[in-house]
Amino acid sequence: MGISKTTFFNDTQNHLATLCKALGHPARIAIIQYLLSVENCICGDIVNELPLAQPTISQHLKELKNANLIKGNIEGNAICYCINEQTIQYLAEYFNHTSQLLAKKKATCC
Amino acid sequence: MGISKTTFFNDTQNHLATLCKALGHPARIAIIQYLLSVENCICGDIVNELPLAQPTISQHLKELKNANLIKGNIEGNAICYCINEQTIQYLAEYFNHTSQLLAKKKATCC
DNA sequence: ATTATTAATCGTAATATTGCGATATTAAAA
DNA sequence: TTTTAATATCGCAATATTACGATTAATAAT
């Protein structure tokens, strides 16, 4: 049916899935990496940096913003986008935690 | 067009996007969490645990396996699935690294 | 050998995503 | 005020994803 049964999963699971899904496209990973590498983060710069048309970039930015992975500030008639540090930290903590649990867990199989 | 322009991005970006995409569904997050919580990890148990039909679970498992997030061992006529520790660790390291770079970086905007 | 059990695959319908040209919106600049 | 510049939104085509019933494949149990 193409529709996710999000109702059957808990908030943490849905939240994590939303974050991962938002990062589940190379262009959006590239945007995050670009934002990490520059001081000034104007949308137009991203359009120049990536091999995608302006409406496409705008759409990807919207998805990253919806997932709370970036935030945008209006600067004149441009928009300054930045990574939301807290969200990245949340992901770092989740995967750290998972990784540590796995290390502790005795490999009973595989 | 619905097709990702993966050719234009580098291997790291494509790899990360593939991993995140595979985790970008609550059912697949739930599967990872379930595998983390049990010692014995038989496919049938996942089917009983999650509110999805057996073919759907099988499909989700396939995607996790393709992304190298889990591995499966044949045990008689059942299949024992386990989390691939290395892949989770790779994600943990990536988000840690990103998080640390963000902490260092002076917030010039936003 | 036959029957159950377990999991993968096929086929298909419903929905979502990706990408971009065209257009709208908003604010700066002239 | 008109023009220019920067982004967002609309609309659409191509493709991908999600879900599951039906079936298949493979092993275990009887």
Side-chain angles (χ1 to χ4, degrees), chain B residues 31-66:
Chain B
I31 289 171
I32 293 289
Q33 289 182 343
Y34 178 72
L35 291 182
L36 194 65
S37 75
V38 293
E39 287 299 306
N40 225 357
C41 39
I42 297 299
C43 177
D45 298 344
I46 305 172
V47 174
N48 291 329
E49 188 73 9
L50 298 192
L52 293 170
Q54 179 268 319
T56 309
I57 299 289
S58 194
Q59 203 173 284
H60 283 307
L61 287 169
K62 192 181 181 183
E63 279 172 70
L64 288 170
K65 205 176 169 191
N66 283 342

Side-chain angles (χ1 to χ4, degrees), chain A residues 107-110, chain B residues 40-43 65 70-83:
Chain A
T108 48
C109 49
C110 304
Chain B
N40 225 357
C41 39
I42 297 299
C43 177
K65 205 176 169 191
I70 62 173
K71 17 184 186 173
N73 262 21
I74 298 169
E75 305 238 327
N77 68 341
I79 290 180
C80 171
Y81 279 109
C82 299
I83 299 176

